[in-house]
Structures are given as structure tokens and as C-alpha cells.
Amino acid sequence: MARKSLKASFVGIQQLKATLKKKKWSKTYLAGVVGCSRATISAFFNSKSINYDDFIKACSELGLNWEDIAETETAEEEKDSNINIDVLVQEVRELIKPLIQERCGTMRVLDMTHPIGLNDIYTNVNILERITGRRQLKIEELLQNCTSEDFAHFGLATIKEKRIPALKAVEKYSKLMILGKPGAGKTTFLKYLAMQCIEGKFQADHVPFFVTLKDFAEAENKPGLLKYISDDAFKHFSPKNKILKEQFINYVDEVINHGKALILLDGLDEVRDEDNKRVLKEIRDFSERYLNNHFVTTCRIAAREYTFEKFTEVEVADFDDQQIETFANKWFKNKVVKPENFIKRIKENYRIKELATSPLLLTLLCLAFEESGDFPANRSELYKEGLDALLKKWDAKRGIQRDQIYKKLSVQRKEDLLSKIALATFERGDYFFKQNIAEQYITEYIRNLPGANTEEEALQLDSEEILRSIEHHHGLLVARAKGIYSFSHLTFHEYFTAREFVFVQQSSKEALKSLVNHILEKRWLEVFLLAVGMSPNADILLLLMKNTIDSLISADEKIQNFLNWVNHKSISVECHNKLVAIKAFYFDLALAPPEMHCPDLQFNPILSFGLDSTFIFDAELENLPADLAIDYCFFVNLTLAVNGYLETDFIVPEIPNIDISCYLLEELKILEQKILSILNPEQQEELEDWILKYRKVLIKFRNIGYDWQFTNDDKKLLKQYHDANLTLVRCLNSDCYVSREVRQYIEETLLLPIEEIEKVKAKYPTIFPNSNQH
């Protein structure tokens, strides 16, 4: 039976256009010679079915074989369609290339002043094939190889999951759901995929279609995904593209029907609740109907309760050291600030480096560093900026509004809630905590809010929803294993702990006293630094710290005598403007373990204690003031002698460019001559007698060399006192606001015995109005 109509194939249309152009005919002229309407010829050139006879005659007039032009239908001819679809794919790729380049070729986040080329900044992403929050692990396993005293190696990913490059995951799985924390780089990776594809570097035989799911969900008339993809692309075409909409839609249909599309669906979590069910169904139906295509979807962790049975779920891994360096090198390329300076400062500060594992926060760090070539001296300001990015800016900059219950809490309420969770868990040393514990803290907080539903069942449901939302919206609490949570970064755990003392409890003296109770715990150091940094005025906190530290040794007579000696010895040194540093020098030197006095080891007694950075001690004697250099050498000699390392020429040290008292030198030479004859180990009693005489000479002439006979308990207490003072000095040296009087008082009374401290207090009546006047 004869066919009633025919239509041109895609390849046939290309031949028709080429022949018409070669003959310099118009479509109107062709319609005339064929004896049909202009509309028929337009349909002919747009691959629409026309009358069989008209089709044959049109081809004949153009000198073409109609069988070469007509769309074939037999099974045998269908086998050859791959040649046609390959041509079609390349045609569609060229048509949408400008749109992909415009939509995916640049990125701009946070406070960037202008967009940046994606390829100029993109850093390869790694993924985890096991979702972190679904691991069946116990808290003990997460904490393995980590102690509360060793925060340089504290890690929230102690158990390392295997990482693979994200591109390999896309190649491995035809339907991929990429999960990740806010700012983990999901959208950036999807844009990178689109650009790699359209540039022919990845799946060059596919057409990439990038869909922002929020825009799709809110599109007018609620179109299906297939229609939205073709309509969205077509409306961005340049007027120079003469292609008709229906023709382009046919092209897209053909590409997708032949499984030649790379469908990139970005931001499932950004879809409004009212659109969620419809969008999920559309994705599910579309991916099942056109199952031969390649699908990649992104979503925040904990954002939705959904099931795409055919999709493999993976998680974006945090940046490692190499990725951080790669990103920094790209960011600072050809800029005044050099990348090596940024990388060096990152490595020097573990807390800041920890934030850099998040691409979003790494971008923020680069922006901050670019302004001045360094990070802010007050790190609490830097962390606050990072939290603002996660709590406010990240969604606001992209016009995203979240509809869940957590939205009802203001930003301040959210911060107050996180502060309470942080303090409660940090005080207990719970860096990882069970889900039900976190929900209990949330329940206790929200039950006191105005208008709260205080029914237990409602509170429980709300607390579950709020916890999930904290993770989903801001990524500040994250699941580390099934039912186990932590703060996303130890830095934020410490920040919110400090914030609870300073802001939530309004810096009350009782609240600050409870903070100061932790002055001897090493793991609280960063909390103290953050607390003074974020305090409008740190006077009260610093004075409480000073008082607590002094009270540690106030009742110990032996230690008070030792501090008296440190003070008097320091005053005698001709370097009074560095008195605090001098005191620290003698304090450390007298208590340093014997191995620290070995001449082969560098000895830095107060490098971190000196309040004046120009006054730095080291073991190179020419860098020390004369008195200190002499005493340092005598301490070394005495310590080595006491511990059995005595050798000749150790009695009278050779100190370049330093004169020793002639009286002392005379005494030492006499001792030296005596000792030369008793170096035999069998004459131990005589050696001890010589050492005692040597000690007496040092006490007589240099006021050093006392045997304080400290017990192990004494040494432990002095170590605590020393380290607590070091914490105090670090806080004082941080970029905190403290009154001039309080600063002077603390500096003047560091390492002073209680009796001397009481005398100094009388000089500061505004700080201590009840002190006795002397």
C-alpha cells in the first residue's frame, strides 16, 4: 500500500538546505515549481510530514533522490540510525554551547566583587562511596587515636574512607546522586561536568543539559522535565539561530530518546516543600522513561526523605591538603598576595586549616587573606564571618528560602541554641554525641520559646526536625555515623562554647568564673582565646584568670620562695624594660629538665612568654644579654655536673665578648685545678664535694644554682602554674580589647610571689579599690 505522506530526516534536511542554497532558490520559488503552498515547503524543511507526491516532486526539482531524503522506517534502516544521531548530537551541542558557557563557565560566591572563570579556580573533587552519616560505628571508633590532650592531631574523620575522583564516579555510575554539606562544592562540580562535556573533554558524544531544580519547580505552568529542558534552552538562543522551536524540540527529543543526554539536576534540597512531591515524581519518572541517558543529581545531606531506586548515592569528600594548596595556587595566581604566603599561614594554624577543608570556607579564607596579606589577628572575627556565610549569606545570595520549622528560629536563636549544645558537650569532652542527646538539648531550649508547643510528643518531633535542619541548612552539626553527631569543625565547637560564656550568659562574673575553672585544661586554650577575642571588654575575664592562676601556688611556701628568687634575680639584671621576659627566663631555666641543658640542643626558654617580640632568647649566646649568657652557661655546667657529664673546660665557660668578674674567675680557676686530679669515677665523693663547692661559688657570685629540692608534686604544680600563665599571656597578646591599666597590672605581676602582688595592687586603685595602701 502506497504511503500517504513522507517527512525528511535530519540528515535529509541538511542536504535540502545545502541544495536550495546552491541553486539560490527561495522556498517560495520551490513551492511554485512543485505546485504546492509555501506552508507545505516550510513543513518539508522542518521535518514535518507532507503529501507523498509533493515530497517526491520537491526532491526531483532539487535534483535529489527522495529515498536519500525521506526518514526511513524499516528495521534494517533503523540499524543505520547511529550515524544520523551522532550528527544530530553534534548539531545540538553546538546550538546549546553558548548557553552552557554562560550558565556554567563562571562562578561567584559570597563577597566576590566579580565572577571568576570556572576553569581558573576549579579544583578536582573527590567523593566517598560510603555515606559518612550511615556508617555503623561507635563513638569509641570515631575517637580512636585521638586524645583530648592532643588537638594537633584531633580529627573528625579519624576513620578514613576511600576517596575516588568524582569524574570516575560519574563514569562508573550512569545514575548518580551526589550528597554533600553546604558549600561542599556540589554545584561547582556539576558546572564543571557541563563545561567538560560541552568542550568535548568528557562524554563528547553526549549533550549536557544543566537544570537548576529550584527554577524548574517554580517555572510557569509547571511543565514536565523534558519540555522544561527544551524550552529553557530555546529561550536563551541568540536571534541569529534561525531554528524553529518545534524543530529544536524534536532535536532534543531525538537526543534524549537515543540516550545521548547528560542530565545534570542541581540542588534538589533547594526545591520548596510545596513543589517537592511533584519534582521528585518528575525526576523518578523521567529517569526511568529515558533510562539510557546519564543522570547526575546534587542534594545536601539530610535534606530530603526520598528514594531513587536506580540512583547510586555518594558523598563529596572534604578537601585534603593537596586540594587546599591547588585551590590557593589558582586563587592567588597573578595577584599581589602570593599563594605560598597563604599556604604557609594555613599550615601554621591548625584551626584555620581545619576550616579550609570546606570549599566555601576556603573561598572565604582566601577573600579575607587577599585584603591584607594575612588573617585577622582576632580569629573570632574570622570564624564569625564563616558562620555568617553558613547561617545567612549562602542561601540569601542565591535567593533561596527554606520552609521547614527551623526557619522559625532567628539567626540569633540558632546561634544561642548551638552555643548551648556546644557548651554542654564540650564541658563533658563529648566531641561526638548521640542523636538523642542532641535532641534533648534542643527540646530543653525550644520548650522555653514564646508560643512553643510544650507537649512532649510535639517537642520530640520538633527537636528531630530541627536537628535535621541544622545539618541540612547550614552544615554546622553533621552526622559522623548512624545516630552520632558532632560539630562540622572543632573550631566551631570551640567558638560556640566561648560564645555561650560571652554573649548568651551576658559575660556575667559567675559565668566567666565557670570558664576560668578550666584554666588548667589544655583543650580549653582555644576557648579562652576566642572568649577574650569576642568580649567587648576582656578586663573581667583576664583578671579572673590572673587571680585563679596566682591562687594555685599562694599557699606553697617553697614555691613562693622560688618566685621571690626569680623576682630578685630578674631585678638585678641590667635589662629592666624586659622584666617579664627576664623572669620567665630564670623561671624556665631553673626548672628545665637536664636534657634541655645539653649544648647540642637549642634551648628556647621564653620564646612564647616574652611580651615584647623583639626580645627573643635562644641558645646562641651572642644573642643574649651579658648577665643571661653568663648564667645560662653556669646553669648548663652545673646541671651536667650533677648528672655525671662533667668534663674538663666545663668549669670556666668560654663566653665570646663577655667579661666575667675577676673574683669569680679566680675562684673558678682554683676549683678547676682541683678537679683535674679527681676525674676518676671512683672518687665520687670528692666529685660531689667539688660540685657542692661549685654551687656555692655560683650562689655567692651569681645568685644562681640553688637546689630547690622540688618533689614531683611540686614540679607538677609549677608546670600547671607555668602553662596557665602562658595561656594568660597568649590571651593578653591576642587582638582583644583590654584596658591599659589591666594590661599593665597583669604584665607587672606575672610570675610574682603573692606578697609582691599585693604591693602592686595598691598602685591600681581603680581595679582594686579595697587594696591596702602602702
Side-chain angles (χ1 to χ4, degrees):
M1 179 173 155
R3 296 166 68 179
K4 294 181 179 180
S5 64
L6 288 172
K7 67 177 180 178
S9 68
F10 173 76
V11 175
I13 288 173
Q14 312 311 310
Q15 293 184 52
L16 289 172
K17 288 179 178 179
T19 303
L20 194 68
K21 184 177 181 181
K22 184 176 180 181
K23 286 181 173 290
K24 298 182 180 180
W25 287 3
S26 68
K27 291 179 183 178
T28 302
Y29 178 81
L30 179 61
V33 297
V34 172
C36 64
S37 69
R38 174 72 168 73
T40 298
I41 294 301
S42 292
F44 177 48
F45 275 84
N46 285 312
S47 193
K48 291 185 177 181
S49 296
I50 66 171
N51 179 274
Y52 178 84
D53 292 333
D54 289 341
F55 189 95
I56 299 294
K57 191 172 182 181
C59 291
S60 176
E61 292 293 340
L62 289 169
L64 299 171
N65 185 343
W66 72 269
E67 292 178 322
D68 293 335
I69 304 301
E71 186 174 74
T72 58
E73 292 183 349
T74 65
E76 191 63 34
E77 289 171 327
E78 185 65 27
K79 292 179 182 178
D80 297 329
S81 67
N82 285 337
I83 299 173
N84 297 346
I85 193 62
D86 289 343
V87 174
L88 179 61
V89 164
Q90 296 309 314
E91 175 79 8
V92 177
R93 284 170 60 87
E94 286 303 312
L95 285 170
I96 72 165
K97 187 172 185 177
L99 172 62
I100 293 296
Q101 290 173 330
E102 176 190 348
R103 185 170 289 177
C104 303
T106 60
M107 61 174 287
R108 183 177 179 180
V109 298
L110 298 177
D111 296 326
M112 284 184 180
T113 55
H114 56 82
I116 186 170
L118 185 71
N119 290 331
D120 294 333
I121 196 62
Y122 181 77
T123 301
N124 288 331
V125 172
N126 292 323
I127 62 99
L128 308 174
E129 293 189 276
R130 291 179 62 196
I131 308 302
T132 303
R134 299 175 191 168
R135 299 179 297 181
Q136 296 288 346
L137 297 174
K138 297 179 180 178
I139 291 178
E140 293 76 15
E141 294 175 280
L142 291 169
L143 281 170
Q144 65 181 355
N145 303 322
C146 167
T147 69
S148 61
E149 295 300 313
D150 183 16
F151 284 94
H153 300 96
F154 184 85
L156 296 178
T158 309
I159 298 177
K160 299 293 184 183
E161 295 290 350
K162 182 180 177 182
R163 297 168 172 232
I164 66 171
L167 277 177
K168 284 191 176 181
V170 176
E171 290 175 340
K172 183 176 179 180
Y173 305 108
S174 63
K175 293 181 176 59
L176 196 66
M177 171 66 75
I178 299 180
L179 304 174
K181 298 186 286 290
K186 303 180 294 297
T187 297
T188 304
F189 173 65
L190 223 56
K191 286 185 174 183
Y192 176 74
L193 267 182
M195 290 297 294
Q196 289 292 103
C197 182
I198 206 66
E199 291 172 359
K201 299 174 183 177
F202 179 79
Q203 294 194 356
D205 59 342
H206 282 63
V207 179
F209 296 104
F210 187 95
V211 178
T212 300
L213 288 172
K214 177 180 181 293
D215 293 342
F216 163 62
E218 298 171 16
E220 192 174 349
N221 299 323
K222 310 297 181 187
L225 193 51
L226 180 59
K227 180 172 174 53
Y228 177 81
I229 287 172
S230 54
D231 286 355
D232 179 57
F234 187 81
K235 72 182 180 183
H236 287 89
F237 280 171
S238 165
K240 294 180 181 179
N241 285 314
K242 303 273 177 141
I243 187 169
L244 296 176
K245 183 174 182 179
E246 289 186 13
Q247 184 180 353
F248 179 72
I249 290 173
N250 288 337
Y251 289 178
V252 173
D253 284 348
E254 287 295 316
V255 168
I256 293 177
N257 276 312
H258 282 83
K260 290 295 185 176
L262 173 60
I263 309 293
L264 306 172
L265 307 173
D266 186 44
L268 181 59
D269 56 282
E270 296 170 4
V271 175
R272 296 177 304 189
D273 282 353
E274 63 198 71
D275 298 317
N276 185 49
K277 186 175 181 180
R278 176 176 62 85
V279 170
L280 289 176
K281 184 179 186 305
E282 186 65 32
I283 294 173
R284 189 178 295 111
D285 292 347
F286 187 87
S287 62
E288 290 176 358
R289 184 183 311 125
Y290 304 107
L291 53 86
N292 291 326
N293 293 282
H294 218 116
F295 293 84
V296 185
T297 305
T298 66
C299 185
R300 288 185 182 180
I301 287 177
R304 301 289 188 194
E305 293 293 338
Y306 58 82
T307 302
F308 294 147
E309 292 182 359
K310 302 293 177 63
F311 280 68
T312 299
E313 295 182 355
V314 297
E315 179 181 345
V316 179
D318 288 341
F319 270 7
D320 57 23
D321 290 355
Q322 184 58 55
Q323 289 169 301
I324 293 171
E325 288 194 22
T326 299
F327 186 95
N329 281 318
K330 288 188 173 186
W331 181 279
F332 293 105
K333 185 179 180 181
N334 299 325
K335 293 184 179 179
V336 175
V337 176
K338 299 304 178 186
E340 53 268 24
N341 294 338
F342 176 83
I343 294 168
K344 180 175 181 290
R345 292 290 286 118
I346 282 279
K347 288 180 176 179
E348 290 172 350
N349 193 305
Y350 174 77
R351 295 304 196 282
I352 294 179
K353 182 182 175 183
E354 187 196 346
L355 295 183
T357 60
S358 160
L360 174 65
L361 296 179
L362 177 55
T363 302
L364 183 145
L365 293 173
C366 288
L367 285 167
F369 199 86
E370 191 174 342
E371 284 188 13
S372 61
D374 203 350
F375 296 116
N378 188 336
R379 288 206 302 275
S380 67
E381 294 177 358
L382 182 64
Y383 301 158
K384 180 67 167 67
E385 195 171 341
L387 289 167
D388 283 346
L390 291 170
L391 285 165
K392 295 184 289 189
K393 292 182 181 179
W394 190 225
D395 279 348
K397 291 273 185 180
R398 296 174 297 153
I400 297 168
Q401 292 185 339
R402 309 286 177 177
D403 292 329
Q404 299 181 35
I405 185 173
Y406 189 50
K407 180 184 172 185
K408 296 177 183 177
L409 296 177
S410 66
V411 171
Q412 182 175 332
R413 293 286 192 204
K414 293 173 184 179
E415 291 182 331
D416 290 349
L417 170 58
L418 289 165
S419 295
K420 290 189 179 300
I421 295 173
L423 177 58
T425 52
F426 197 86
E427 280 190 319
R428 294 167 52 179
D430 292 341
Y431 306 105
F432 301 95
F433 39 88
K434 291 184 178 180
Q435 179 176 337
N436 65 326
I437 297 296
E439 289 171 359
Q440 286 176 22
Y441 294 136
I442 295 171
T443 297
E444 289 306 308
Y445 181 79
I446 62 176
R447 78 163 68 244
N448 297 311
L449 294 176
N453 187 340
T454 56
E455 293 181 9
E456 289 303 317
E457 185 176 350
L459 284 170
Q460 177 60 35
L461 290 173
D462 285 351
S463 66
E464 292 174 6
E465 182 65 24
I466 287 172
L467 178 60
R468 188 183 300 111
S469 296
I470 293 174
E471 181 177 15
H472 158 217
H473 290 175
H474 311 303
L476 292 172
L477 292 178
V478 296
R480 300 296 182 181
K482 197 168 183 63
I484 299 175
Y485 279 77
S486 79
F487 279 83
S488 59
H489 300 86
L490 176 60
T491 296
F492 289 154
H493 199 165
E494 293 166 329
Y495 175 90
F496 279 116
T497 299
R499 183 184 180 279
E500 175 70 9
F501 290 110
V502 175
F503 293 125
V504 180
Q505 300 186 30
Q506 298 300 313
S507 293
S508 71
K509 199 163 186 178
E510 289 306 311
L512 295 179
K513 280 182 179 178
S514 65
L515 170 59
V516 173
N517 287 337
H518 299 286
I519 189 70
L520 300 182
E521 298 175 59
K522 183 178 178 181
R523 68 187 186 89
W524 283 79
L525 170 60
E526 190 71 12
V527 177
F528 279 103
L529 289 168
L530 291 170
V532 297
M534 64 177 68
S535 295
N537 187 321
D539 283 1
I540 295 176
L541 177 54
L542 289 168
L543 288 171
L544 285 170
M545 292 169 68
K546 180 71 172 71
N547 184 60
T548 301
I549 293 168
D550 291 336
S551 66
L552 286 173
I553 43 82
S554 60
D556 192 306
E557 185 177 353
K558 189 190 300 183
I559 291 178
Q560 288 297 311
N561 289 336
F562 171 67
L563 292 179
N564 258 314
W565 168 77
V566 168
N567 184 44
H568 289 305
K569 180 61 185 174
S570 303
I571 293 171
S572 69
V573 174
E574 295 181 4
C575 194
H576 300 302
N577 61 323
K578 306 291 190 299
L579 191 57
V580 174
I582 300 294
K583 283 189 285 187
F585 175 83
Y586 283 107
F587 186 102
D588 281 358
L589 191 62
L591 296 173
E595 59 269 19
M596 289 303 296
H597 292 304
C598 176
D600 295 332
L601 295 177
Q602 193 175 48
F603 176 56
N604 264 342
I606 57 97
L607 182 59
S608 56
F609 233 129
L611 294 174
D612 187 335
S613 60
T614 63
F615 191 74
I616 297 176
F617 295 144
D618 58 35
E620 298 188 25
L621 301 181
E622 61 267 23
N623 292 339
L624 292 176
D627 282 341
L628 303 186
I630 293 171
D631 289 342
Y632 174 78
C633 285
F634 285 137
F635 261 114
V636 170
N637 292 346
L638 179 59
T639 307
L640 292 176
V642 169
N643 288 278
Y645 300 121
L646 186 64
E647 298 178 13
T648 55
D649 298 329
F650 265 61
I651 304 168
V652 183
E654 294 184 7
I655 306 175
N657 305 320
I658 295 177
D659 294 327
I660 302 176
S661 161
C662 60
Y663 299 105
L664 173 58
L665 191 60
E666 185 178 343
E667 290 272 356
L668 290 175
K669 283 184 177 179
I670 294 172
L671 288 170
E672 183 177 30
Q673 289 179 5
K674 290 181 178 180
I675 196 62
L676 289 175
S677 61
I678 56 171
L679 282 175
N680 191 327
E682 294 179 0
Q683 298 174 286
Q684 183 65 33
E685 290 186 8
E686 290 185 67
L687 285 173
E688 290 177 358
D689 183 57
W690 175 85
I691 292 169
L692 180 59
K693 291 177 180 178
Y694 184 47
R695 187 188 296 276
K696 288 179 178 179
V697 169
L698 296 183
I699 291 172
K700 176 182 177 182
F701 286 96
R702 299 297 310 168
N703 191 24
I704 62 172
Y706 295 97
D707 182 5
W708 296 102
Q709 297 184 343
F710 289 128
T711 64
N712 288 335
D713 287 342
D714 292 332
K715 292 177 181 177
K716 181 180 178 181
L717 182 57
L718 280 165
K719 179 71 165 56
Q720 290 176 332
Y721 174 75
H722 172 279
D723 291 349
N725 270 299
L726 199 53
T727 296
L728 177 60
V729 170
R730 290 189 63 180
C731 289
L732 198 64
N733 282 344
S734 67
D735 186 29
C736 65
Y737 183 87
V738 55
S739 67
R740 186 182 302 274
E741 279 195 316
V742 168
R743 180 181 293 277
Q744 289 176 343
Y745 164 74
I746 291 175
E747 291 183 4
E748 191 173 346
T749 56
L750 278 169
L751 303 179
L752 271 187
I754 296 298
E755 182 180 349
E756 295 298 321
I757 290 175
E758 292 303 321
K759 293 178 183 177
V760 174
K761 283 182 178 180
K763 294 164 54 179
Y764 297 93
T766 57
I767 305 176
F768 307 102
N770 298 322
S771 295
N772 294 325
Q773 300 296 316
H774 295 276

